[in-house]
Amino acid sequence: MLTVVWPYLERLSKEGELGRRKITQYTRYSTIALCVVQSMAIAIFLERQTNIAGGLPLVYEPGWSFRLMTVLTLTTGTAFIMWLGEQITERGIGNGMSLIIFAGIVVGLPTAVLTTLDQMRSGAIGLFTLIALVVVMVLVIGAVVFIERGHRRVTVQYAKRVVGRRMYGGTSTHIPLKVNTGGVIPVIFASSILAFPATAATAFPVGGWFQTVTDQLQNGMPAYYLLFVGGIIFFAYFYTAIIFNPDDVAENMRKYGGFIPGIRPGKRTAEHIDTILTRITFAGSIYLALVAVMPDLMITGFRADAVPFIGDQLDVLLPGFITNGLGVTFYFGGTSLLIIVGVSMDTVQQVESQLIMRHYDGFMKKTRIRGRRG
């Protein structure tokens, strides 16, 4: 993200492979620095915790020796995971860090399913709640797959041109603009910023107005949902502006004789693409907000009584499953579902590409992509 606001990094990003390696090196240093700060906060938080059963401190020998050991352990583990992800990216299929996160999410799904079944047997979850949970799960997964694969095609026509004795151009193609260009990044950024006050309050307890702000940013509070949805919409536009530049696309089209039918090349083309991208990004950000907010609504509900002026009236009018939630502990949605679906689709596409390059049939039996022998 700093490549947009920092001219030095912007120049590095345009220098090809050498610049990309330099930015990756800076990213590693930033990761280590961030991990040192976070691990120190975790160590201080652990020193202040007590054993609930006996009232004894959780850390029996607090001090700098424990803090330094915690920082060394967590930082070393982070560096190893970062190195492992880079090795998977270079020598494997797909993005290594995304696959590691994907594996960490998927490994907990069987336990979550068994826990939900045990809750149904014990009566903690009724049959109606379980059926509603399954229906919502199927609908959310279908919506995520549909939106993630959705894109708007902008038709591009290339004029005919003669080079020597050969004629080039005269073809028609399209620019695929994804509905969700930012992927899961807007949700991660918005949730990270909202989690910062609570994390700071946990590591360094303070009172007064800061504690009031922290309480208002808890799950279920109206301020939390308002800022969360607003943050997702903002970062969806912000990240899309970073990774897709309509001016560069219009300039490249003009250089190669391409144009959008009915739109003049150059500035008008860039404005036309930007208008389309703005509209579909809004739809994609609303979709991200709904998927991200749904799990919290199912678990904790919506604290309607905290809404200023009309909170008591809303609490009476809204049904109980909205204000109190469904009380489930196993759900599909949010950042985890977006990561699972996104990584799965990207991995399958890369496996398809590898199979096509080696003249094999596609990974799926009914796929439209076949190898040369197929």
Side-chain angles (χ1 to χ4, degrees), residues 185-326:
I185 298 297
V187 181
I188 295 177
F189 273 50
S191 60
S192 299
I193 292 178
L194 289 180
F196 179 77
T199 304
T202 302
F204 310 100
V206 292
W209 64 270
F210 189 82
Q211 186 63 40
T212 303
V213 172
T214 303
D215 295 338
Q216 292 296 322
L217 295 181
Q218 298 295 326
N219 290 352
M221 301 300 290
Y224 169 79
Y225 289 126
L226 180 62
L227 294 178
F228 192 28
V229 173
I232 291 175
I233 296 175
F234 169 77
F235 284 113
Y237 279 100
F238 188 79
Y239 192 71
T240 301
I242 291 176
I243 63 177
F244 190 91
N245 191 344
D247 294 331
D248 294 341
V249 175
E251 182 63 21
N252 293 331
M253 289 171 51
R254 188 185 63 81
K255 289 180 179 179
Y256 292 97
F259 62 94
I260 299 176
I263 305 297
R264 296 184 60 181
K267 183 179 179 180
R268 294 296 179 89
T269 299
E271 293 176 351
H272 179 71
I273 296 176
D274 184 66
T275 301
I276 297 176
L277 194 63
T278 300
R279 294 174 179 175
I280 63 176
T281 300
F282 179 76
S285 62
I286 296 299
Y287 140 77
L288 285 177
L290 290 176
V291 174
V293 168
M294 186 177 299
D296 293 334
L297 291 175
M298 294 177 63
I299 296 176
T300 60
F302 177 73
R303 289 286 305 277
D305 56 342
V307 178
F309 306 113
I310 60 172
D312 296 335
Q313 291 81 358
L314 282 178
D315 190 53
V316 174
L317 295 177
L318 294 177
F321 68 89
I322 294 180
T323 56
N324 300 323
L326 297 177

Side-chain angles (χ1 to χ4, degrees), residues 54-90:
L56 299 176
L58 189 62
V59 180
Y60 289 99
E61 296 182 2
W64 282 105
S65 60
F66 171 75
R67 297 175 185 176
L68 292 178
M69 181 60 66
T70 303
V71 171
L72 179 62
T73 304
L74 294 180
T75 305
T76 304
T78 301
F80 173 73
I81 290 296
M82 182 170 54
W83 174 83
L84 189 63
E86 293 177 356
Q87 297 302 311
I88 295 175
T89 302
E90 294 179 2

Side-chain angles (χ1 to χ4, degrees), residues 106-130:
V106 172
V107 74
L109 293 182
T111 304
V113 173
L114 295 177
T115 302
T116 304
L117 294 178
D118 291 339
Q119 291 178 349
M120 186 187 66
R121 295 191 188 98
S122 61
I125 296 180
L127 180 61
F128 174 77
T129 302
L130 183 62

